[in-house]
Amino acid sequence: MPLPDLQNLDEYRAIYHAEAVWRPAIDEIRERHDLADEPCQRGPDGTHLVYFAGPDHVIKLFVPLFASDFVAETLMARHIEGELGIKTPTILHQGAITGWPYLIMARVPGTPLGEIWHEICQENRQAIAHQAGQLIARLHSLSVQGLEELAVDWPAFVKQQVATAAERHHNGEVPQPLIAQIPAFVKSTSAQLIDCPEPVLLLADITTEHLL
């Protein structure tokens, strides 16, 4: 059964949890890569569709609405492999099914930090935060050579982020008095943010869902 030809994000959201739409494609991918005998289960919610095939493999199906994410993740996964001092997902296979790109990656063992955060004492939380900072510093130190396809107009990007910073927090849990302070604060730092003499790698997804 072909995957849908989605025209907008609302169409995608309407079927995001419809297993009858995705499972035939996931099963075909498993057949292609000799994973059909592995137990398969849906992974955590995210922008794209994630399935676990047994204990060792992750299948990630990328919605074409955000096709650039596939390019970025593929390039970055290969670029950082073995460079950060921690285990990162290794790409084992890549392909496409009815126009939807996918990756099969080695599953990194561990428990998402968010699932056990409430069990961790304050001292260990601070140690984890320090380690996360060291990880980000190592990422910033890597060369960007070979990643030209991911380059953005940085000044334009920062200006857009500054202009929409407060708006993006209205649907979250940030108290209104803090939201009211956002525009003045980000404008006061925007000149420093725009002044970027040399590009570095950035990752905005270092969260308790992705740290193990």
Side-chain angles (χ1 to χ4, degrees):
M1 183 175 69
L3 289 166
D5 180 17
L6 299 174
Q7 301 301 309
N8 54 61
L9 188 55
D10 287 338
E11 290 183 1
Y12 180 44
R13 286 172 174 159
I15 61 173
Y16 181 78
H17 290 107
E19 284 298 286
V21 174
W22 315 118
R23 194 55 184 258
I26 295 299
D27 288 345
E28 182 175 333
I29 292 171
R30 291 165 63 213
E31 287 280 356
R32 288 182 184 180
H33 300 283
D34 298 322
L35 297 173
D37 293 334
E38 297 283 357
C40 185
Q41 67 181 58
R42 182 82 176 255
D45 288 354
T47 304
H48 303 284
L49 299 142
V50 173
Y51 285 80
F52 299 129
D56 300 322
H57 298 88
V58 177
I59 301 171
K60 189 165 185 178
L61 184 63
F62 290 78
V63 58
L65 292 171
F66 308 111
S68 61
D69 288 358
F70 171 77
V71 175
E73 187 152 342
T74 302
L75 287 174
M76 281 295 296
R78 292 184 168 133
H79 190 76
I80 68 173
E81 186 174 354
E83 298 292 337
L84 296 179
I86 61 170
K87 290 184 178 179
T88 56
T90 300
I91 296 175
L92 304 174
H93 306 282
Q94 68 181 81
I97 181 166
T98 63
W100 288 56
Y102 66 82
L103 294 174
I104 297 180
M105 297 173 281
R107 187 174 179 180
V108 177
T111 302
L113 185 59
E115 293 183 13
I116 57 172
W117 188 252
H118 64 284
E119 303 173 8
I120 301 174
C121 69
Q122 183 64 26
E123 182 180 356
N124 286 340
R125 289 183 179 186
Q126 291 175 343
I128 291 169
H130 181 70
Q131 292 171 15
Q134 291 178 318
L135 171 62
I136 294 170
R138 287 196 295 271
L139 181 70
H140 289 175
S141 72
L142 297 182
S143 168
V144 298
Q145 186 174 357
L147 299 175
E148 291 78 12
E149 191 172 354
L150 304 183
V152 299
D153 182 340
W154 181 249
F157 173 77
V158 171
K159 289 176 182 178
Q160 175 66 17
Q161 293 299 100
V162 168
T164 60
E167 179 185 342
R168 292 197 307 277
H169 288 83
H170 278 298
N171 294 327
E173 299 178 356
V174 180
Q176 188 59 41
L178 289 180
I179 294 177
Q181 298 176 42
I182 290 176
F185 175 76
V186 295
K187 285 180 181 178
S188 70
T189 61
S190 60
Q192 294 171 293
L193 293 172
I194 290 174
D195 184 18
C196 179
E198 292 188 16
V200 298
L201 297 177
L202 297 180
L203 178 60
D205 247 0
I206 299 181
T207 68
T208 55
E209 296 175 355
H210 298 139
L211 292 174
L212 305 176

